[in-house]
Amino acid sequence: MLWGVGTSSYQVEGNIDHADWSRFERTITPGFQGAGKACEHYLHALDDIRQVAALGLNAYRFSVEWSRIEPAPGATDQAALAHYRQMVDTARNCGLEPVVTLHHFTLPKWLEAEGGVLSPNFTTHFARLCKVVGSALDATWWVTINEPMVLAVMGYLLGEWPPGRRSLTEVNRVGRALARAHRQAFQILHQIDPARRVGVAKHLTRIWPHRPHHLMDQLGSRLQDAVFNQYFYQWTAGTHDFLGVNFYARSYARGLTQVRRSRPGERLSQMGWVTDSADLAAVLSWLKPMGLPVLITENGIATLDEDLRCDYLRSHVRVLLEARQQGLDVAGYLYWTLWDNFEWREGWGPAFGLCPPPSAGQRFSWRPAARLLAQLCANDGAELLGPHA
Ligand code: BGC
């Protein structure tokens, strides 16, 4: 089983100036601290990867930055491509299985200017990226798109992420466009090498009625579950080698369309989220009938309370391993994330990391949860399941 950690280019690499987010972050609030140099992962990637291996993990998920690889439509930056190729090769050479994400929220500015995901040429552009990257990188595990419906909702319904749109009809169009792009990427990556394992990192959340006995909240939870959790699987049926799952916290439906993150009095993470591993058990039970291996592509908590982070890690991994005991095909568990990093709209506050951000001379100050994850990797989680496992 894979035991690892994940990152995304924009959140950690630093000095990305040609992505839609590079433009958008300047419009958020005066003084908003953008990604900037981030964790300078682009400068130190190979050493960083060796450190992840030295910690004792066996997998590393990262994303390629489209705006670096293709600074202008159709023009490949060979140095950027070689950089990501070296990341994959280095990971392999030091015993880490690379899990490569092709699209993790950011688009090149030139594509944003053309209409982004809603550009009539989006699928063609994405297919070209898949061919270029898919042919250059010798990885087995591929995530085509990270959290398609989160991107659709944040960017096109709530307007909180680029391109800052607020339109109910566009959410649906974006979801479908991303589904088309995924289906095509699935074919392309398999044409290059049929042994590849290709999937999506799908955000899944259990959506409860905010007021448990209120009919509209009950209906809302069903409606939102369909839109947020289920439709994308229907649009992409037959094009997953594994089910990539980003699982964090629960949601609540208030009426048909409103979403709340908590009920009064609940304990919240730094993100204002309510976490309960029983919700992950429910999510895994939805996936089981699909009969595919499940890879937890993201799971983590934003907190500075390390006991809480370790409890979160233990309880969620335990649920995963119990599901495995009951017959779920579990491919792996990837904690989110390596360092506290640029958390999109929330900026630099939330501490999801196995380490604080790099500081002068010290790139990795491993927190207790990092050691715990390494220990789980060493014994394949056996300690969580007790003597009769
Ligand atoms: C995203 C990450 C993000 C994390 C925590 C996921 O939605 O894929 O980029 O940092 O959640 O909010």
Side-chain angles (χ1 to χ4, degrees):
M1 173 168 152
L2 302 181
W3 293 94
V5 66
T7 59
S8 89
S9 55
Y10 197 77
Q11 295 179 274
V12 293
E13 282 187 351
N15 299 320
I16 296 175
D17 298 322
H18 302 292
D20 53 353
W21 262 95
S22 338
R23 176 197 63 75
F24 187 81
E25 62 175 34
R26 296 197 178 93
T27 68
I28 294 182
T29 45
F32 179 81
Q33 195 192 344
K37 291 184 179 168
C39 303
E40 297 194 318
H41 187 46
Y42 199 74
L43 281 180
H44 301 281
L46 306 187
D47 279 345
D48 292 346
I49 287 172
R50 290 185 195 107
Q51 293 300 319
V52 172
L55 172 68
L57 305 182
N58 67 21
Y60 180 53
R61 174 180 175 219
F62 64 94
S63 73
V64 298
E65 176 57 36
W66 191 346
S67 64
R68 286 193 198 275
I69 293 177
E70 204 178 350
T76 304
D77 181 328
Q78 292 298 336
L81 196 58
H83 170 89
Y84 293 115
R85 189 190 300 124
Q86 279 183 311
M87 284 180 74
V88 166
D89 295 346
T90 303
R92 281 242 154 108
N93 290 337
C94 60
L96 292 176
E97 186 70 43
V99 178
V100 179
T101 307
L102 285 164
H103 179 260
H104 197 122
F105 296 153
T106 53
L107 293 179
K109 273 182 188 164
W110 58 258
L111 180 47
E112 182 184 45
E114 230 184 66
V117 177
L118 291 179
S119 156
N121 299 322
F122 175 73
T123 324
T124 312
H125 291 313
F126 189 62
R128 191 173 59 237
L129 178 80
C130 294
K131 277 184 201 138
V132 168
V133 179
S135 312
L137 272 50
D138 183 21
T140 303
W141 292 85
W142 293 81
V143 171
T144 56
I145 294 173
N146 183 72
E147 297 190 349
M149 295 314 290
V150 172
L151 178 68
V153 169
M154 297 302 281
Y156 293 82
L157 181 65
L158 302 178
E160 292 189 10
W161 289 6
R165 307 275 307 158
R166 288 167 191 266
S167 153
L168 208 51
T169 51
E170 282 180 1
V171 178
N172 180 45
R173 286 174 54 209
V174 168
R176 286 173 179 274
L178 291 171
R180 252 193 322 275
H182 163 75
R183 294 196 304 264
Q184 212 179 38
F186 182 87
Q187 307 301 347
I188 291 168
L189 291 167
H190 279 289
Q191 275 156 14
I192 298 169
D193 179 355
R196 284 186 167 168
R197 312 189 77 178
V198 182
V200 165
K202 177 88 180 74
H203 186 284
L204 293 173
T205 177
R206 193 175 185 189
I207 305 171
W208 295 82
H210 195 247
R211 294 160 294 185
H213 303 295
H214 198 289
L215 184 63
M216 291 312 277
D217 293 8
Q218 288 169 355
L219 289 174
S221 75
R222 289 204 203 143
L223 177 74
Q224 291 179 24
D225 176 62
V227 172
F228 200 76
N229 292 324
Q230 297 175 31
Y231 284 167
F232 199 82
Y233 286 130
Q234 293 167 15
W235 298 333
T236 54
T239 58
H240 299 265
D241 295 316
F242 66 92
L243 300 171
V245 176
N246 291 3
F247 179 85
Y248 287 92
R250 62 173 51 178
S251 314
Y252 293 103
R254 180 91 180 181
L256 286 185
T257 54
Q258 280 188 48
V259 180
R260 299 279 160 87
R261 299 308 311 219
S262 62
R263 290 187 182 129
E266 286 182 316
R267 184 164 81 157
L268 309 180
S269 76
Q270 286 178 325
M271 296 290 280
W273 297 351
V274 177
T275 62
D276 185 342
S277 58
D279 292 330
L280 175 60
V283 164
L284 296 177
S285 73
W286 307 337
L287 300 179
K288 198 170 173 190
M290 293 166 79
L292 290 167
V294 170
L295 173 62
I296 302 293
T297 34
E298 290 183 26
N299 177 238
I301 184 167
T303 181
L304 285 172
D305 177 344
E306 222 25 47
D307 290 339
L308 181 58
R309 191 190 318 281
C310 289
D311 284 350
Y312 180 96
L313 177 57
R314 268 192 215 96
S315 61
H316 286 74
V317 169
R318 185 178 294 118
V319 159
L320 182 68
L321 297 178
E322 282 168 358
R324 185 174 71 174
Q325 276 184 326
Q326 288 154 22
L328 185 75
D329 184 354
V330 174
Y333 176 90
L334 308 177
Y335 181 80
W336 188 267
T337 180
L338 186 48
W339 297 280
D340 303 343
N341 61 32
F342 177 71
E343 183 49 45
W344 309 111
R345 185 79 186 197
E346 281 76 20
W348 283 90
F352 276 101
L354 294 180
C355 297
S359 59
Q362 179 86 33
R363 291 190 61 70
F364 294 93
S365 313
W366 296 116
R367 291 177 170 144
R371 308 279 175 208
L372 171 60
L373 185 60
Q375 197 181 311
L376 293 169
C377 177
N379 59 23
D380 208 33
E383 69 194 76
L384 292 181
L385 289 174
H388 306 299

